[in-house]
Amino acid sequence: MAQVATGPELTPRQSSRNLPSMAVNNDRPELKEEVVKALETYKKKDSPKVVVRFRGVGNAPIMKQNVYKIIATNRFQAVIQFLRKELGWQKGEPLFLYINSTFSPAPDDTVLNLFKSFSTEGYLIVNYSTTPAWG
Amino acid sequence: MTDYNTTLFRRLTWEGTVPLEIRVDPKELPANSNRGLECYYVQAPRVSYLPLIVPEIRKFLMDVVFDEIAAKGLKDEEWWFESEEGTLLKWHWPIGVIYDNHTISASIRSSPMPSTSTPCPMRLILHLAAPPNDKLFLSPTIDACKQAFMNQLKEADFIRWGNTRRMTSLRKADQDGLWEGIRERDFDDYWRVASKLMPFAGSPLRSTSPPPVGSSLSRPLSADTVSTPERDGAYSIRSVPVRIYLPDGPVLQELAPPLLEDGKRFWQDVLQCISTERPIDTGTPHTLSHFFSNHFALLFPPRPPPPPPSRSNPNPQAPDVPELAYALIQGVISPPEAELAWLGSCMAGADGWLNICVGINRR
């Protein structure tokens, strides 16, 4: 692994085709250290919080407090569950969530991704409704 | 207006398929099943979704594998898929993304670079009971998948134009037509509507004189389209809807404007401007290499500028940087000079998103 620092242009590039069977059964056998570190960095969970502003639509109950800080790497599913709990919604009671009064994000998308693309004036605006509003 | 170049690549993208090998979990095979035949092979469209191929899998299993009486207790809504390595496969991910994501995740284990000539079937395990619904997020119905697809289209529309007016102004029949196009695997049906949402890559100038097929295949750039971007063209949108998949996660979204503003440019982009005689002050096209070295510099280290020319070396080259990773789009390893606007217009999935899977080079 330490050889990486000497620079790849000094040594001829080796094809992994020569030793195909060696690679099997090892966890990440020939990954460069810098690649492993890079992947770990991009996977890190300790992220900043972002501000989410909830807005009820139609007959939806109004929240006393409607601005919350949420950990950015949370999935949107966590936002859905959080809001249901805040509203005291029972399982099976319908609740529809939208971003910027336009679309429902995929539940496995992260709050960070949504915030990066759709925040307005530092808030991610999440509308909620008891009936489909922007189907 | 039709643009030959854009349509050609959209059709190639649309017609892309991936080989799947689907095997029922042997522990869950109903009594008296015909063992030894419980494997189903399918060449599935990249733009399709797992719920859309479940009916043909079920028909095969019912006809050939399952005992009629024992299969009576099976419920479709309890079926779910897993990769051979134990990754849950989501109902709302396009099949092409599932396949490419599997390829790049394998790239950090033992597989070499993906080979375009001999694609390996991806092995899927089909479970017949106890779906982990909290991790699958959606119910396995075709209708839930359609809803998710529609919302993805809207989200992409918002990223592209800053609103969803193009999507919401479609008549209901047209909106449904998008999904029907995917269900029926009908390119013309789908693009008849989708072309109202997604911009063409070329300019009017280019569309009147399409380049020969050979040249557009070897050089899928749009160098001549930029100086006067069309109002609705690929270079006039706010941002390309793009998602980056890293091996074993996470999935990341970054803003990807089609043109770079002044001051944010890499020297390579300036050089490209000069070599293509494009005015520098209109903004240079945002390339894959710029996007990745900007947002994922640890995997795509930026090339430093070449040293100043000297008498002994009048044409200095920039020093090499290690190519740690590659970008896989619709199963194609994409050249770093490819422009995001062109990719978003020609190689996005049917849901409007440009999905880029990042694999690791093994050397």
Side-chain angles (χ1 to χ4, degrees):
Chain A
M1 281 299 191
Q3 293 145 321
V4 172
T6 63
E9 69 272 19
L10 297 179
T11 48
R13 282 181 180 155
Q14 286 190 335
S15 164
S16 59
R17 251 176 291 162
N18 296 336
L19 297 164
S21 56
M22 301 289 282
V24 188
N25 297 331
N26 264 329
D27 193 36
R28 303 184 177 188
E30 10 163 339
L31 276 193
K32 291 182 179 172
E33 204 175 315
E34 57 200 298
V35 167
V36 175
K37 275 190 183 150
L39 292 175
E40 277 166 9
T41 305
Y42 295 130
K43 210 177 271 190
K44 275 213 171 109
K45 294 279 183 191
D46 53 331
S47 72
K49 293 187 172 185
V50 298
V51 187
V52 173
R53 181 187 284 262
F54 291 105
R55 280 191 187 149
V57 181
N59 294 331
I62 292 173
M63 301 166 82
K64 269 192 198 133
Q65 192 199 333
N66 66 350
V67 176
Y68 292 89
K69 280 189 174 175
I70 292 188
I71 298 169
T73 46
N74 269 338
R75 293 181 186 283
F76 192 69
Q77 178 76 358
V79 178
I80 300 173
Q81 282 160 352
F82 172 80
L83 185 62
R84 295 188 72 93
K85 208 172 126 216
E86 284 298 307
L87 295 175
W89 244 228
Q90 298 301 309
K91 210 181 170 191
E93 277 185 277
L95 188 67
F96 300 86
L97 275 68
Y98 301 88
I99 301 291
N100 288 347
S101 307
T102 48
F103 67 92
S104 296
D108 58 336
D109 207 353
T110 62
V111 177
L112 179 66
N113 282 345
L114 293 166
F115 188 84
K116 271 193 217 160
S117 296
F118 305 109
S119 64
T120 24
E121 290 163 5
Y123 295 98
L124 179 65
I125 295 169
V126 175
N127 316 91
Y128 59 95
S129 169
T130 55
T131 53
W134 292 279
Chain B
M1 185 195 79
T2 43
D3 170 331
Y4 174 77
N5 195 9
T6 306
T7 307
L8 170 66
F9 281 94
R10 282 179 177 172
R11 188 176 279 280
L12 289 171
T13 300
W14 179 270
E15 287 173 358
T17 58
V18 293
L20 303 177
E21 176 189 312
I22 296 152
R23 187 183 295 271
V24 181
D25 183 349
K27 297 188 288 293
E28 296 174 28
L29 271 180
N32 304 321
S33 288
N34 199 342
R35 281 176 190 267
L37 289 175
E38 74 278 19
C39 223
Y40 183 68
Y41 294 90
V42 59
Q43 196 72 32
R46 283 184 162 270
V47 296
S48 191
Y49 294 86
L50 288 174
L52 293 178
I53 62 166
V54 164
E56 65 179 280
I57 298 170
R58 183 188 42 223
K59 182 170 189 314
F60 166 81
L61 292 172
M62 293 296 184
D63 288 354
V64 177
V65 182
F66 293 165
D67 175 73
E68 206 174 318
I69 297 159
K72 272 197 175 143
L74 294 175
K75 295 188 196 111
D76 276 12
E77 63 267 23
E78 301 204 330
W79 290 17
W80 54 288
F81 293 95
E82 209 173 29
S83 75
E84 209 176 22
E85 294 80 25
T87 310
L88 283 186
L89 303 182
K90 292 185 183 132
W91 297 117
H92 61 292
W93 280 26
I95 290 173
V97 174
I98 291 176
Y99 187 90
D100 288 347
N101 188 52
H102 176 257
T103 303
I104 56 152
S105 295
S107 78
I108 59 168
R109 295 195 188 89
S110 58
S111 306
M113 298 246 297
S115 155
T116 44
S117 52
T118 53
C120 262
M122 177 182 170
R123 292 186 173 149
L124 273 56
I125 313 285
L126 169 58
H127 296 279
L128 303 175
N133 285 327
D134 55 325
K135 292 184 183 135
L136 288 165
F137 298 108
L138 287 188
S139 68
T141 62
I142 288 178
D143 198 50
C145 191
K146 177 186 173 185
Q147 290 304 322
F149 167 78
M150 287 299 177
N151 274 301
Q152 286 301 307
L153 269 175
K154 262 191 213 167
E155 186 173 345
D157 209 29
F158 197 103
I159 289 183
R160 248 183 253 116
W161 310 105
N163 58 62
T164 54
R165 277 198 290 276
R166 279 175 174 73
M167 186 68 190
T168 48
S169 63
L170 291 179
R171 286 173 305 153
K172 175 85 169 62
D174 278 348
Q175 289 200 10
D176 291 343
L178 289 165
W179 180 247
E180 285 308 308
I182 292 174
R183 273 187 86 148
E184 303 297 325
R185 306 183 182 181
D186 190 322
F187 175 86
D188 294 320
D189 259 15
Y190 170 83
W191 276 106
R192 185 179 52 79
V193 185
S195 58
K196 295 174 188 168
L197 305 173
M198 294 178 216
F200 274 99
S203 68
L205 201 107
R206 164 173 244 167
S207 66
T208 53
S209 55
V213 180
S215 75
S216 61
L217 276 172
S218 62
R219 202 184 61 97
L221 295 174
S222 353
D224 52 333
T225 62
V226 183
S227 47
T228 52
E230 294 166 76
R231 195 171 51 86
D232 280 354
Y235 291 84
S236 314
I237 59 174
R238 287 181 6 148
S239 178
V240 180
V242 54
R243 287 205 175 105
I244 311 302
Y245 298 71
L246 295 180
D248 285 345
V251 181
L252 298 163
Q253 236 164 278
E254 299 288 347
L255 285 178
L259 295 174
L260 295 167
E261 289 159 26
D262 282 337
K264 283 195 203 162
R265 217 171 287 144
F266 280 11
W267 67 271
Q268 292 102 319
D269 302 322
V270 177
L271 278 190
Q272 207 192 353
C273 258
I274 295 165
S275 67
T276 55
E277 297 178 351
R278 183 191 304 135
I280 294 177
D281 52 345
T282 53
T284 42
H286 197 175
T287 59
L288 263 190
S289 90
H290 182 108
F291 179 80
F292 275 115
S293 35
N294 197 15
H295 293 294
F296 300 92
L298 296 176
L299 288 173
F300 296 87
R303 284 182 86 176
S310 64
R311 196 167 297 171
S312 60
N313 186 5
N315 295 308
Q317 298 291 309
D320 268 343
V321 287
E323 289 175 15
L324 303 174
Y326 61 89
L328 192 64
I329 304 174
Q330 301 285 4
V332 179
I333 297 177
S334 303
E337 66 272 21
E339 295 167 9
L340 291 177
W342 186 90
L343 291 168
S345 182
C346 297
M347 298 199 51
D351 59 1
W353 285 83
L354 179 64
N355 291 305
I356 308 180
C357 293
V358 173
I360 300 302
N361 281 323
R362 327 267 308 189
R363 288 216 174 91

